[in-house]
């Protein structure tokens, strides 16, 4: 219920419950406890209005510029993506995965912690597509190695597909597709071959494509058909 109310992922809410911050009818909640529609639920003393599981989740598509961090606040004072999102009554936006500070492009947000958890779960293997600009041109052998797999410090990684995206001179573009979202994974894969990524843009997440008309720093709501298509990718 807490996750559906947009307060965080299921895992985050389990930790909140275990820490004793949730009360049901004035009594400390326990993991797995069921709540009825007329139960009084409070988190840190604030009443939580249950959101119906059958209610439609709201999903935003945001065009993240490079130079923003995906967190609600930053000790270094850097701009965050949440500063640009519309206010949400009775909950908060949850980022579906992350893009690092220097990476731009498509970033999804939802008010449903349960949906966010499903979209990010590794077992669902949702495709992520990136446009990558590198210094220099990859050899056929290097492209083949990125598809066969390279070894990173946190385990092997591979692209499902890689294709040339054009370019001239010292800068070349490539389109890559993979099915996981480890920290800085795309950059680290290229770096494992001694290739420097000079620009990285996520252009697709599952069936959702970054529209060319959406400028950096702008957002739009996904319509019900787009949300249904996204759910169909799970």
């Amino acid at each position: 219920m807490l996750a559906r109310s947009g307060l965080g992922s299921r895992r985050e809410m389990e930790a909140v419950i275990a820490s004793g911050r949730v009360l049901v009818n004035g009594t400390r909640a326990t993991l797995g406890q069921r709540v009825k529609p007329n139960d009084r639920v409070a988190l840190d003393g604030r009443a939580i209005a249950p959101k119906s599981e059958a209610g439609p989740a709201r999903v935003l598509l945001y065009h993240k510029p490079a130079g923003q961090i995906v967190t609600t606040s930053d000790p270094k004072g850097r701009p965050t993506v949440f500063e640009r999102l519309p206010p949400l009554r009775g909950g908060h936006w949850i980022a579906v995965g992350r893009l690092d500070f220097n990476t731009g492009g498509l970033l999804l947000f939802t008010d449903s912690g349960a949906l966010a958890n499903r979209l990010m779960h590794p077992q669902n293997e949702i495709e992520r597509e990136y446009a990558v600009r590198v210094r220099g041109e990859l050899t056929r052998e290097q492209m083949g190695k990125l598809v066969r797999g390279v070894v990173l410090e946190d385990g092997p990684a591979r692209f499902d597909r890689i294709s040339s995206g054009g370019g001239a001179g010292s800068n070349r573009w490539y389109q890559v597709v993979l099915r996981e979202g480890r920290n800085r994974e795309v950059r680290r894969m290229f770096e494992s071959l001694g290739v420097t990524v000079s620009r990285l843009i996520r252009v697709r997440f599952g069936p959702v494509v970054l529209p060319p008309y959406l400028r950096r720093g702008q957002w739009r709501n996904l319509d019900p058909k787009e949300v249904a298509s996204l759910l169909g990718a799970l």
Side-chain angles (χ1 to χ4, degrees):
M1 187 274 283
L2 294 171
R4 289 199 306 272
S5 297
L7 298 170
S9 68
R10 292 178 65 91
R11 181 173 298 179
E12 290 170 337
M13 291 302 98
E14 287 174 356
V16 166
I17 294 167
S19 68
R21 295 166 55 192
V22 180
L23 301 180
V24 177
N25 299 324
T27 303
R28 179 172 172 171
T30 58
L31 287 172
Q33 179 177 349
R34 294 183 177 274
V35 293
K36 299 183 289 295
N38 60 339
D39 285 336
R40 292 177 289 105
V41 182
L43 170 60
D44 295 333
R46 181 169 65 92
I48 304 300
K51 180 178 178 180
S52 169
E53 189 166 10
R58 186 177 174 190
V59 182
L60 284 186
L61 188 163
Y62 177 64
H63 188 167
K64 176 190 177 297
Q68 288 183 356
I69 190 167
V70 185
T71 185
T72 52
S73 61
D74 180 50
K76 298 180 181 179
R78 293 173 293 183
T80 78
V81 293
F82 290 93
E83 296 169 2
R84 306 298 297 269
L85 303 184
L88 185 64
R89 292 186 60 185
H92 68 259
W93 292 113
I94 302 167
V96 178
R98 294 177 179 271
L99 294 175
D100 66 50
F101 184 71
N102 294 315
T103 299
L106 186 156
L107 187 59
L108 295 180
F109 293 86
T110 179
D111 62 350
S112 167
L115 176 58
N117 186 62
R118 291 176 64 194
L119 291 171
M120 291 185 283
H121 202 288
Q123 74 177 17
N124 289 319
E125 296 187 331
I126 296 179
E127 285 190 347
R128 286 93 158 157
E129 184 173 352
Y130 294 82
V132 189
R133 188 179 71 187
V134 303
R135 294 191 176 93
E137 186 173 3
L138 296 180
T139 65
R140 182 173 298 181
E141 180 181 353
Q142 286 175 315
M143 293 176 68
K145 190 170 184 179
L146 288 169
V147 172
R148 292 191 301 271
V150 296
V151 178
L152 306 177
E153 60 269 24
D154 54 353
R158 60 179 292 273
F159 293 136
D160 285 13
R161 301 186 296 279
I162 181 171
S163 59
S164 175
S170 60
N171 293 311
R172 302 282 176 163
W173 285 93
Y174 294 89
Q175 298 290 124
V176 303
V177 176
L178 72 168
R179 295 174 182 265
E180 57 183 9
R182 282 186 271 165
N183 183 43
R184 299 186 69 255
E185 186 172 11
V186 174
R187 293 182 187 274
R188 291 189 291 130
M189 289 177 67
F190 279 94
E191 288 168 0
S192 73
L193 302 182
V195 177
T196 300
V197 173
S198 58
R199 193 174 180 191
L200 182 60
I201 305 168
R202 183 155 67 193
V203 296
R204 180 171 63 86
F205 185 94
V208 181
V209 177
L210 182 67
Y213 61 80
L214 195 68
R215 296 182 179 179
R216 288 190 294 271
Q218 293 184 332
W219 57 267
R220 74 171 183 86
N221 286 296
L222 296 191
D223 63 38
K225 288 185 178 180
E226 291 173 309
V227 174
S229 178
L230 186 60
L231 291 172
L234 298 174

